[in-house]
Amino acid sequence: MFRSHARTVLLVLAVALLIPTAGFGQASFRLPNLREDRGVYVGAFKIWPEFFVETRYDNNLFRGSEKDVDATGASLGTASGVVYRFIPAIEVRKDANRIYGMHFKAKGDLRKYQGSGDTADVVEAQQAINGTMRARVDLFPKSIFRLYLQDSLRRSLESRTIVSKATATRTFNEAGAGLVVAPSSALTFDLGYRFARDTFAEFDQSDKSLHKFSLRTIWKFFPKTSAFLTIGADLIDYDTVLKDSLGTEYGNYSSTPIRALGGLTGFVTKRIFVTLAGGYGASMHEKGPSYSNFLAQALLGYQMD
């Protein structure tokens, strides 16, 4: 979120403390963005259609094991099959002027499964139409007060981890708006709200609604050094509270998790940059155990041409 505009970055060291895990180290190499400037202009809009076809064979579609057994002790086994995928997509972009800018991308994902033998009917029951959609409109993007509207929709097929006709097909839709206040080129405030709905086709016990509030502040007090503060709070409400056979509640409690993280990021030399941040987070469940911890992040990177 607070990355520099470097095209190529070598991440030398990253150490983070997150709820409720301990710190970790990581080294990686980030390649430059080599995406070509493709598409067709229609007036002020740039349109980029895509189409992708895939065929593959999978000898373990459900990622199961021969050791998996049902309640009677019978082996659930594994299942294999051929997967055909057809993925059309279209992207539309309008570069920002003084009034507005927009970006829209939609991608379909049609999957057809072909099985054989005793598990053919189970494999072929997994076929589905999935896809993603993302849209954002920025209003008055070059003024002190900027508004944005955004929406994202994702429908994904997730097979169970046992051989079964049942699926874990999931639909996640998130829409929101925000206000950006930029009194100067060095200082910005981003206040946002998003509402999300997370549902499952055949496992409605996990259906839930989410209200997400966020505040992000960036102060660029030196040309290559910034202070930042990010505060987030969610309201998570499950449709169904889990209960055992005796009617005792044991899960899916509502919660209001919060998280705050602030720090500094910038270059200490012409090529070496550092990020240091700290904060606090808590899960704040309505019932049952809640979790909280201090947050810390340390990042050392090297910029290459």
Side-chain angles (χ1 to χ4, degrees):
M1 194 182 315
F2 304 102
R3 297 176 299 178
S4 68
H5 297 288
R7 293 186 176 181
T8 310
V9 175
L10 176 62
L11 184 59
V12 180
L13 175 66
V15 180
L17 180 64
L18 302 174
I19 301 176
T21 61
F24 67 93
Q26 176 180 326
S28 63
F29 180 74
R30 185 175 300 155
L31 295 175
N33 182 9
L34 300 179
R35 184 175 182 178
E36 296 182 25
D37 186 21
R38 302 176 181 176
V40 178
Y41 279 96
V42 179
F45 296 88
K46 185 176 182 181
I47 303 175
W48 184 354
E50 301 178 40
F51 187 72
F52 177 79
V53 179
E54 176 191 29
T55 302
R56 74 174 189 271
Y57 172 79
D58 194 325
N59 67 350
N60 190 359
L61 285 169
F62 297 90
R63 303 181 298 277
S65 169
E66 294 291 349
K67 298 180 180 180
D68 294 336
V69 296
D70 60 18
T72 66
S75 175
L76 294 172
T78 60
S80 61
V82 179
V83 183
Y84 304 94
R85 295 183 68 189
F86 305 91
I87 307 177
I90 186 168
E91 182 174 357
V92 181
R93 184 183 296 275
K94 164 70 169 60
D95 291 335
N97 55 24
R98 291 184 177 275
I99 305 301
Y100 80 102
M102 63 85 64
H103 180 229
F104 171 85
K105 184 168 185 178
K107 179 186 293 186
D109 186 358
L110 172 62
R111 300 186 192 183
K112 181 175 177 58
Y113 290 74
Q114 180 180 346
S116 61
D118 296 337
T119 60
D121 58 336
V122 177
V123 170
E124 292 170 5
Q126 301 301 307
Q127 58 189 347
I129 298 177
N130 308 305
T132 60
M133 184 278 295
R134 297 192 305 273
R136 173 166 172 143
V137 177
D138 291 277
L139 302 175
F140 314 112
K142 298 183 180 182
S143 66
I144 295 177
F145 298 96
R146 312 165 189 173
L147 298 173
Y148 61 85
L149 305 172
Q150 60 186 23
D151 183 51
S152 63
L153 173 66
R154 181 177 70 253
R155 177 180 170 85
S156 56
L157 171 64
E158 299 292 342
S159 299
R160 300 290 180 89
T161 55
I162 58 174
V163 179
S164 169
K165 288 185 177 181
T167 69
T169 300
R170 179 181 188 180
T171 302
F172 184 84
N173 190 15
E174 182 179 86
L179 171 65
V180 178
V181 181
S184 69
S185 60
L187 182 63
T188 58
F189 301 89
D190 185 342
L191 179 64
Y193 166 77
R194 290 167 291 166
F195 172 76
R197 182 69 182 160
D198 193 6
T199 59
F200 293 81
E202 300 181 30
F203 193 64
D204 57 6
Q205 288 182 323
S206 292
D207 292 356
K208 62 181 177 291
S209 298
L210 303 92
H211 299 269
K212 301 182 176 183
F213 303 87
S214 63
L215 172 63
R216 182 179 62 182
T217 302
I218 303 176
W219 177 31
K220 192 174 182 180
F221 57 90
F222 284 134
K224 293 188 176 182
T225 306
S226 302
F228 63 88
L229 174 66
T230 301
I231 301 174
D234 299 344
L235 304 177
I236 303 176
D237 185 22
Y238 284 89
D239 293 0
T240 305
V241 176
L242 299 179
K243 299 180 180 180
D244 60 22
S245 58
L246 300 177
T248 303
E249 298 179 353
Y250 68 90
N252 278 4
Y253 299 124
S254 298
S255 61
T256 55
I258 60 172
R259 175 188 173 104
L261 187 69
L264 299 173
T265 182
F267 284 83
V268 294
T269 69
K270 185 178 180 179
R271 296 186 180 276
I272 297 176
F273 62 89
V274 175
T275 298
L276 296 174
Y280 180 79
S283 64
M284 299 181 66
H285 283 83
E286 184 180 63
K287 297 180 180 179
S290 290
Y291 309 94
S292 62
N293 207 337
F294 292 102
L295 309 175
Q297 183 183 52
L299 176 71
L300 176 66
Y302 181 82
Q303 174 182 289
M304 302 175 64
D305 291 333

